[in-house]
């Protein structure tokens, strides 16, 4: 197991930061939805043109799946798209939407429900989150990440654990790409007292959080025990897709699956919850003081 903690496996792998298919799928879906609505067709009517159901059209328009080129052509014909530049743009987006991201090489250790989050992180402009159990994956040290992975997947072979760690560390490169991802993490104090991997590992993790919080694109806030937060019920991740034509997406992880929320009303609800948590949490500088105090007391 030493390979999990002695070095940073991501240092020897291809650089992350390519948005991969996630952003292109969302852009393609948004364009196709607007074209369908402009044509006055229902998802069921649109699906009939390419022999798929309304549910498949809805998933395509949400950006949850790619689309074959002949299906794009069929939809363009059904929607009455005669502008050749628009058709070429849609076909190009479809090609890019079907191109695998770097994480496709890790399909053996990334469940399909989590793969979408990895792609969205690569394409997002800002990620806001609230964590109640563990330090957010994008801010974990290799040692802490290895310990957390063993807790959840301890029965797997050592090589599978190493590959899971490689994925987690590669995901973190979005914080140092150009332009970097903007990360705003609110962490419950209980997370920072839970000695995952032992006291020494937690100490180094707290120091890492302090260092990361000083980056211009990273904000870390601690929600102290004394602060009453909203009944969030679990971790929340809000992804700002930085494209005017795309809406934000909320990721809600569960024990063995996840839910992606993209409805405007639900997204607004979770955004307001994060806003309230940010107000009740300690400000960034005070949060660094809390982190230093917690590290000193270990």
């Amino acid at each position: 197991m030493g390979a999990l903690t002695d070095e940073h496996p991501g240092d020897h792998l291809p650089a992350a930061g390519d948005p991969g298919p996630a952003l292109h799928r969302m852009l393609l879906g948004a364009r196709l939805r607007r074209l369908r609505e402009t044509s006055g067709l229902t998802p069921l009517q649109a699906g009939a043109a390419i022999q798929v159901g309304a549910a498949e059209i809805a998933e395509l328009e949400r950006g949850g799946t790619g689309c074959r080129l002949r299906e794009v052509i069929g939809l363009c014909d059904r929607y009455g798209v005669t502008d050749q530049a628009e058709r070429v743009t849609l076909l190009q987006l479809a090609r890019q939407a079907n191109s695998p991201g770097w994480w496709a090489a890790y399909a053996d250790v990334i469940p399909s429900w989590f793969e979408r989050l990895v792609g969205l992180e690569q394409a997002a402009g800002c990620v806001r989150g609230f964590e109640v159990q563990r330090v957010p994956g994008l801010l974990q040290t290799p040692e802490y990440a290895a310990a957390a992975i063993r807790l959840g997947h301890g029965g797997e072979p050592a090589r599978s654990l190493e590959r899971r760690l490689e994925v987690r560390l590669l995901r973190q490169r979005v914080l140092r790409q150009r332009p970097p991802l903007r990360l705003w993490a609110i962490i419950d104090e209980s997370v920072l007292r839970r000695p995952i991997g032992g006291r020494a590992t937690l100490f180094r993790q707290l120091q890492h959080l302090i260092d990361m919080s000083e980056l211009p694109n990273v904000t870390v806030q601690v929600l102290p025990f004394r602060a009453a937060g909203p009944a969030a019920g679990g971790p929340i991740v809000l992804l700002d897709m930085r494209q005017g034509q795309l809406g934000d997406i909320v990721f809600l992880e569960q024990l063995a699956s996840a839910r992606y929320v993209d409805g405007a009303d639900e997204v607004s609800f979770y955004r307001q919850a994060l806003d309230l948590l940010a107000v009740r949490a300690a400000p960034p500088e005070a949060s660094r003081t809390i982190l230093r105090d917690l590290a000193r007391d270990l």
Side-chain angles (χ1 to χ4, degrees):
M1 299 299 290
L4 285 174
T5 56
D6 293 343
E7 61 178 348
H8 192 307
D11 289 342
H12 308 297
L13 295 170
D18 180 353
L23 179 60
H24 304 304
R25 287 179 181 177
M26 295 181 68
L27 289 170
L28 175 64
R31 280 178 176 261
L32 290 174
R33 183 183 66 252
R34 286 197 300 274
L35 289 170
R36 177 183 60 76
E37 292 172 345
T38 299
S39 68
L41 297 174
T42 66
L44 182 62
Q45 291 171 323
I50 56 174
Q51 299 181 326
V52 302
E56 285 85 348
I57 292 294
E59 183 68 7
L60 171 62
E61 293 179 351
R62 281 196 297 267
T65 184
C67 186
R68 289 188 286 269
L69 297 186
R70 61 179 176 81
E71 293 174 333
V72 172
I73 294 172
L75 290 174
C76 285
D77 291 342
R78 186 68 177 90
Y79 298 158
V81 180
T82 58
D83 186 317
Q84 288 303 309
E86 177 70 6
R87 293 173 76 103
V88 168
T89 297
L90 290 168
L91 289 170
Q92 181 62 26
L93 283 173
R95 291 189 186 95
Q96 294 169 321
N98 292 325
S99 299
W102 60 262
W103 52 94
Y106 294 90
D108 57 317
V109 293
I110 303 180
S112 58
W113 56 265
F114 192 76
E115 180 180 352
R116 187 180 178 193
L117 174 67
V118 178
L120 292 175
E121 285 177 344
Q122 307 297 305
C126 177
V127 172
R128 297 177 62 193
F130 173 56
E131 183 54 66
V132 295
Q133 295 186 10
R134 293 176 185 171
V135 170
L138 293 177
L139 294 174
Q140 292 179 3
T141 65
E143 189 178 20
Y144 183 100
I149 289 169
R150 281 195 291 266
L151 283 175
H153 306 278
E156 295 184 4
R159 181 54 184 157
S160 293
L161 299 179
E162 291 169 359
R163 285 176 59 74
R164 289 183 183 276
L165 178 59
E166 288 172 1
V167 172
R168 189 161 303 183
L169 299 180
L170 277 173
R171 285 171 54 205
Q172 296 177 359
R173 294 191 175 187
V174 295
L175 298 175
R176 299 185 183 276
Q177 67 187 18
R178 292 292 178 266
L181 174 72
R182 175 82 171 85
L183 177 63
W184 185 354
I186 303 171
I187 307 174
D188 191 82
E189 183 178 344
S190 62
V191 173
L192 307 172
R193 294 181 178 275
R194 189 170 294 123
I196 292 177
R199 292 167 55 124
T201 295
L202 180 58
F203 175 82
R204 286 187 283 273
Q205 177 62 70
L206 293 172
Q207 293 292 336
H208 182 66
L209 283 174
I210 294 169
D211 293 340
M212 293 298 293
S213 72
E214 293 175 346
L215 294 177
N217 59 305
V218 177
T219 298
V220 175
Q221 288 186 264
V222 177
L223 184 69
F225 286 138
R226 65 177 181 276
I236 303 170
V237 177
L238 174 65
L239 300 115
D240 176 352
M241 299 315 299
R242 73 183 175 189
Q243 300 283 335
Q245 56 190 307
L246 299 178
D248 295 344
I249 297 175
V250 174
F251 171 77
L252 303 172
E253 186 171 359
Q254 300 164 355
L255 186 60
S257 63
R259 180 173 171 233
Y260 291 87
V261 176
D262 57 10
D265 291 342
E266 277 195 278
V267 169
S268 178
F269 172 81
Y270 285 105
R271 185 182 295 108
Q272 291 173 16
L274 287 172
D275 289 343
L276 181 56
L277 284 162
V279 170
R280 294 181 175 177
E285 188 54 50
S287 293
R288 275 191 283 271
T289 299
I290 293 173
L291 290 169
R292 293 187 189 100
D293 290 343
L294 289 170
R296 185 188 60 240
D297 292 342
L298 283 174

